[in-house]
């Protein structure tokens, strides 16, 4: 069974000061493309293939999925959606975030957590 990799898009994009705040949707699209390139082979410490879910919120909504990356748009809190996805996972689940509160919440649901540098830049 493949590992489910849930990516907290806002947190991961925000971890790199590359001007993402000028174009949040574009930044999310760049992250999506990096994830797609790594979904089959895996990322540091996680052997592929991976089931990748990118959670987007706010101005980053509207990003289209691509092969290898499913997009989940949060109507409200992106963190709440990440927790719900982790709680409902029927497979090994790894969440990518640096958010301390979110880390605690998904760990309580049985997910492992890795930092943004695992996937970005």
């Amino acid at each position: 069974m493949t590992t489910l990799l849930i990516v907290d898009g806002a947190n991961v994009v925000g971890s790199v000061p590359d001007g993402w705040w000028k174009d949040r949707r574009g930044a999310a699209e760049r992250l999506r493309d990096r994830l797609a390139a790594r979904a089959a082979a895996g990322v540091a410490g996680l052997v592929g293939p991976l089931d990748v879910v990118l959670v987007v919120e706010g101005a980053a909504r509207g990003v289209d999925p691509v092969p290898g990356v499913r997009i989940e748009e949060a109507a409200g809190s992106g963190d709440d959606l990440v927790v719900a996805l982790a709680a409902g996972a029927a497979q090994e689940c790894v969440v990518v975030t640096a958010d301390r509160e979110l880390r605690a919440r998904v760990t309580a649901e049985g997910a492992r957590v890795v930092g943004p540098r695992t996937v970005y830049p």
Side-chain angles (χ1 to χ4, degrees):
M1 188 177 289
T2 59
T3 298
L4 175 62
L5 185 72
I6 303 171
V7 181
D8 176 5
N11 185 267
V12 172
V13 165
S15 71
V16 178
D18 63 357
W20 59 264
W21 51 90
K22 298 175 188 172
D23 180 12
R24 292 172 193 249
R25 184 171 168 186
E29 289 170 340
R30 289 189 298 279
L31 173 58
R32 175 207 58 201
D33 294 346
R34 285 179 184 263
L35 293 168
R38 296 176 176 161
V43 296
L46 297 172
V47 177
L50 303 170
D51 288 336
V52 179
V53 177
L54 175 59
V55 175
V56 296
E57 61 187 289
R61 288 193 304 250
V63 172
D64 292 323
V66 296
V69 180
R70 186 174 97 213
I71 304 296
E72 290 285 342
E73 294 185 344
S77 165
D79 289 1
D80 290 346
L81 180 54
V82 169
V83 173
L85 291 169
Q91 66 211 84
E92 178 185 10
C93 179
V94 177
V95 174
V96 182
T97 188
D99 180 314
R100 288 182 187 166
E101 181 181 334
L102 180 56
R103 284 174 167 260
R105 292 175 65 194
V106 297
T107 300
E109 296 295 341
R112 284 194 308 134
V113 180
V114 296
R117 291 188 189 267
T118 303
V119 297
Y120 194 74

